[in-house]
Amino acid sequence: MNHGQRILLGLGLGLIATIASAGGRVAPAPNGIELPAGYKDWRVISVAHRTDNNTMRVILGNDAAIAAARRNQTNPWPDGAILGKLVWKATTLQSWDKATVPGEFVHAEFMLKDKTKYAATGGWGYARWKGLKQEPYGKDAGFAAECVACHTPVKGQDWVFTRPAVLP
Amino acid sequence: MNHGQRILLGLGLGLIATIASAGGRVAPAPNGIELPAGYKDWRVISVAHRTDNNTMRVILGNDAAIAAARRNQTNPWPDGAILGKLVWKATTLQSWDKATVPGEFVHAEFMLKDKTKYAATGGWGYARWKGLKQEPYGKDAGFAAECVACHTPVKGQDWVFTRPAVLP
């Protein structure tokens, strides 16, 4: 490759990177699951403060999950339900140090219920995107074995730790 | 009042109570603020764990509040913005005791921004409904003085403690 070709290659790669970045497309998880569209607009199922790793969480649901939660039909959750968990490092509010609140964004993670499609992982598809750059978690499709292992204690409640918060 | 009249009065009062209960109407706060419609479907602004009284909270916003939070235009918040806070006693997840999660529902409380209408209380209307029965908080309209007193340390950030959680 001569100097001119290298410059052209460099410009081409730069252009591709720019287009990819401008498009804002998030890469799918290694098991093929795509980042669920519009998840930041989903409604709340519950919240949590994990004291072992000091993170704050909100658990959201797509329409199917919210409907199931409000009817109290979550064991099993229906096919089509998606649970999304947004996770931040915990910090304290500058104006009131008795409030533990979200600090740095850690990741968004999801469980997608489809007892047929995801039969190999307990009827749920798992996926996680790390940080503000939303990089997919896991080196290959096998990463979901980690998820299943951690969720096994709650196999009896359809593999889901979260219980929908009580509302009026 | 004779015996027959008393029976009729009793039946009448019973009927009124039944209708009120079936209608599910929530009484307004003593300052006239009505429970905002559809607040359980609002989107998330942040979450919090208050360690002084061990409660878990999710802070929701109506469309105007969400738009302002996502544009980072929250000092001041725009007129029309409503912040809703759902509060539960904290408990630990039965399946994983390192997760502090919502237990008993405590109350839903709201701040409604209108710098003209609520000028007497810093441009915000305050209201709270207690428990699953959603009983209005406060004996008379003066209750909001308590709210303003507690929020005074954050007067410089438009009287709001919550900072919108960072999202990708």
Side-chain angles (χ1 to χ4, degrees):
Chain A
M1 200 185 292
N2 67 27
H3 185 64
Q5 285 170 323
R6 275 197 297 271
I7 288 175
L8 282 174
L9 180 63
L11 285 171
L13 290 175
L15 189 63
I16 289 166
T18 304
I19 291 168
S21 163
R25 187 172 175 282
V26 172
N31 54 2
I33 293 176
E34 296 276 357
L35 181 67
Y39 70 89
K40 282 177 270 189
D41 293 332
W42 290 355
R43 291 171 283 171
V44 176
I45 289 183
S46 193
V47 298
H49 177 191
R50 247 182 85 166
T51 52
D52 58 328
N53 60 15
N54 209 22
T55 54
M56 295 296 295
R57 289 121 184 285
V58 64
I59 300 91
L60 306 175
N62 69 349
D63 288 347
I66 292 292
R70 291 184 181 178
R71 286 192 310 257
N72 202 23
Q73 294 175 350
T74 62
N75 199 8
W77 291 79
D79 277 6
I82 309 179
L83 302 174
K85 191 176 269 176
L86 309 182
V87 180
W88 298 266
K89 288 186 183 169
T91 185
T92 51
L93 210 55
Q94 214 172 4
S95 53
W96 171 242
D97 70 4
K98 301 298 184 289
T100 303
V101 297
E104 185 185 333
F105 182 75
V106 177
H107 59 234
E109 53 191 15
F110 298 88
M111 292 177 69
L112 296 79
K113 182 68 190 275
D114 186 322
K115 60 184 174 302
T116 311
K117 186 171 180 181
Y118 303 118
T121 46
W124 290 94
Y126 291 87
R128 175 190 281 168
W129 285 268
K130 297 180 292 177
L132 292 175
K133 290 185 175 172
Q134 303 202 283
E135 291 166 356
Y137 177 85
K139 292 209 188 307
D140 56 50
F143 82 90
E146 279 178 56
C147 311
V148 172
C150 274
H151 282 250
T152 297
V154 285
K155 185 177 175 176
Q157 50 190 51
D158 199 17
W159 304 89
V160 175
F161 283 96
T162 300
R163 312 314 298 152
V166 175
L167 284 171
Chain B
M1 200 185 291
N2 67 28
H3 185 64
Q5 284 170 324
R6 275 198 297 269
I7 288 176
L8 282 175
L9 179 64
L11 285 172
L13 289 174
L15 188 64
I16 288 166
T18 303
I19 290 168
S21 163
R25 188 171 174 280
V26 172
N31 54 2
I33 293 176
E34 295 277 358
L35 181 67
Y39 70 90
K40 282 177 270 189
D41 293 331
W42 290 356
R43 291 172 282 171
V44 175
I45 289 182
S46 194
V47 298
H49 178 192
R50 248 182 85 166
T51 53
D52 58 329
N53 60 14
N54 208 24
T55 54
M56 295 297 294
R57 289 124 183 281
V58 63
I59 300 92
L60 306 175
N62 69 350
D63 288 347
I66 292 292
R70 291 185 181 178
R71 287 192 311 257
N72 202 22
Q73 293 174 350
T74 61
N75 199 9
W77 292 78
D79 278 4
I82 309 179
L83 302 174
K85 191 176 271 177
L86 309 182
V87 180
W88 299 267
K89 288 186 182 167
T91 184
T92 52
L93 210 55
Q94 212 171 5
S95 53
W96 170 242
D97 70 4
K98 301 299 185 289
T100 303
V101 297
E104 185 186 334
F105 183 74
V106 177
H107 59 234
E109 53 191 15
F110 297 88
M111 291 176 68
L112 296 79
K113 181 69 190 272
D114 186 322
K115 58 184 174 303
T116 311
K117 186 171 180 181
Y118 302 118
T121 47
W124 290 94
Y126 292 86
R128 175 190 281 169
W129 285 268
K130 297 181 289 175
L132 292 174
K133 291 185 176 172
Q134 303 203 282
E135 290 166 355
Y137 177 85
K139 292 209 188 308
D140 57 50
F143 82 90
E146 279 179 57
C147 311
V148 172
C150 273
H151 282 251
T152 298
V154 286
K155 185 178 176 177
Q157 51 190 48
D158 199 17
W159 304 88
V160 176
F161 283 97
T162 299
R163 314 312 299 151
V166 174
L167 285 170

